[in-house]
Amino acid sequence: MVRNTPFRKALLMFLQDSGPVSVPAINERFSVHKTTIYRELEMLVQRGKLSEIDFGDGTKRFEIASKGHHHHLVCERCDSVAEIDLHDDFSDQEQNIFEKLGFTITRHNLELFGVCKSCTL
């Protein structure tokens, strides 16, 4: 059994109220050693509490895994990230892929890149 430390509680609360967050952003928020942050994140990902997200820019981000299925809008100018729920859950496409190719999809990620409203003003 893993002890629920004060830092772990604070980290999970911070991530619950945030979108995907990078290690540097977590490091700015908490005054703990980076090694502690990486160790906590790794353990929480392994236990299924967090999801690790990569937008292809070389920066790993982390978010609460239990937020449910959603996608991200990523601003290419200010790096802001917004969560978006799409009405189409892709189940028809996933079933079609299985029927045609015999490939079972277990998960997927979809990030949409562009410029946010604040950056277009």
Side-chain angles (χ1 to χ4, degrees):
M1 185 169 173
V2 177
R3 202 167 50 100
N4 205 2
T5 65
F7 172 64
R8 190 172 299 140
K9 286 181 194 177
L11 177 61
L12 287 169
M13 286 181 64
F14 173 65
L15 291 169
Q16 184 67 41
D17 296 334
S18 307
V21 179
S22 66
V23 171
I26 294 169
N27 197 33
E28 286 178 18
R29 176 75 164 79
F30 298 100
S31 51
V32 295
H33 196 275
K34 264 189 182 178
T35 304
T36 301
I37 294 171
Y38 281 107
R39 185 174 45 244
E40 288 294 324
L41 292 171
E42 181 180 341
M43 187 271 304
L44 291 168
V45 168
Q46 288 176 352
R47 289 195 166 22
K49 300 287 185 191
L50 298 182
S51 296
E52 184 179 304
I53 299 167
D54 184 353
F55 294 147
D57 61 356
T59 301
K60 292 180 182 179
R61 292 169 178 83
F62 299 87
E63 69 180 357
I64 299 293
S66 63
K67 283 188 173 182
H69 190 74
H70 63 278
H71 303 283
H72 301 102
L73 301 174
V74 182
C75 180
E76 296 175 309
R77 290 192 185 157
C78 70
D79 295 324
S80 66
V81 178
E83 295 177 359
I84 183 170
D85 293 319
L86 300 176
H87 295 290
D88 187 352
D89 67 2
F90 297 103
S91 59
D92 290 341
Q93 291 87 347
E94 290 176 5
Q95 182 62 34
N96 190 25
I97 289 168
F98 176 76
E99 289 172 3
K100 287 185 176 183
L101 304 173
F103 186 87
T104 301
I105 296 172
T106 57
R107 63 186 177 89
H108 71 266
N109 295 323
L110 176 63
E111 286 79 38
L112 305 167
F113 297 87
V115 180
C116 71
K117 185 177 181 179
S118 297
C119 289
T120 57
L121 299 177

